[in-house]
Amino acid sequence: MTTLRNLTRADALAYREIRLAALRDAPTAFGSDYHENVDMPLSHFESRIGTTDDHFIRVAEADGVMVGTLGFRRDDGTKRRHVGLLWGMFVVPAARMRGVGRLLLADVLENVRTLPGLELIELSVVVGNESARRLYDSFGFVTYGVETKALKIDGRYYDEAHMALEL
């Protein structure tokens, strides 16, 4: 059985492990780089853990082990308080194709829909990641632009599709 909960600072070590696994195993899915993060102190990972309605990371656990993550951060500027960002979606390979990503996304969207004044959720997905793209499409996200050469990994460029969901 998969359970969902907010990540806390007490989870920093386990979060570090799953985050590094994500950066190592799916380098094109993230703007952050494994080699830049692997030697970061634990405090770096603790600092990413939000604990408010406007900034949090949800985790999926199976048998007490983290198998997925999805972060949410709301813009804090007056002119962009209506916009939130989804980031860091990752499901460990052993838990894929079991609905964990769908469960995480549905849960986060359900939670953020209750935030006063939040009108739009944005995310980015690398062009070619069709499984992620289909998941986001199924929740009503629409592509509003493609950033060419958004990532450069080992001399190869990757485009990112920017997607949004109006609440």
Side-chain angles (χ1 to χ4, degrees):
M1 180 175 167
T2 303
T3 59
L4 303 176
R5 65 177 179 84
N6 278 349
L7 194 67
T8 68
R9 292 194 189 270
D11 298 312
L13 190 57
Y15 175 62
R16 178 185 188 278
E17 291 175 13
I18 197 169
R19 180 70 177 166
L20 289 175
L23 297 177
R24 183 186 60 243
D25 298 343
T28 62
F30 303 98
S32 296
D33 181 73
Y34 172 80
H35 299 290
E36 292 175 351
N37 282 265
V38 70
D39 293 325
M40 291 285 192
L42 189 58
S43 60
H44 167 77
F45 296 91
E46 288 174 332
S47 71
R48 295 181 63 94
I49 299 172
T51 56
T52 69
D53 288 343
D54 290 340
H55 179 201
F56 60 85
I57 299 170
R58 292 293 278 176
V59 294
E61 293 180 322
D63 299 319
V65 176
M66 275 186 214
V67 295
T69 62
L70 178 57
F72 171 79
R73 181 177 57 249
R74 185 177 189 170
D75 276 313
D76 57 4
T78 303
K79 294 179 181 179
R80 291 202 38 97
R81 283 285 295 153
H82 65 289
V83 179
L85 173 72
L86 296 182
W87 61 273
M89 167 70 97
F90 180 70
V91 176
V92 300
R96 291 182 188 157
M97 305 306 292
R98 295 185 180 161
V100 173
R102 178 169 294 285
L103 193 62
L104 273 168
L105 185 55
D107 178 72
V108 168
L109 291 176
E110 180 181 325
N111 281 303
V112 302
R113 285 181 194 279
T114 66
L115 297 177
L118 189 67
E119 300 172 18
L120 187 72
I121 304 295
E122 296 177 333
L123 60 83
S124 295
V125 60
V126 101
V127 172
N129 185 344
E130 291 307 313
S131 61
R133 184 78 175 259
R134 281 191 303 274
L135 174 64
Y136 301 137
D137 286 343
S138 74
F139 278 85
F141 282 86
V142 295
T143 300
Y144 64 88
V146 174
E147 181 180 355
T148 59
K149 297 184 177 182
L151 301 175
K152 185 177 181 181
I153 303 168
D154 297 328
R156 181 173 175 205
Y157 293 101
Y158 296 87
D159 299 341
E160 279 189 336
H162 297 284
M163 303 182 79
L165 174 68
E166 289 193 38
L167 300 179

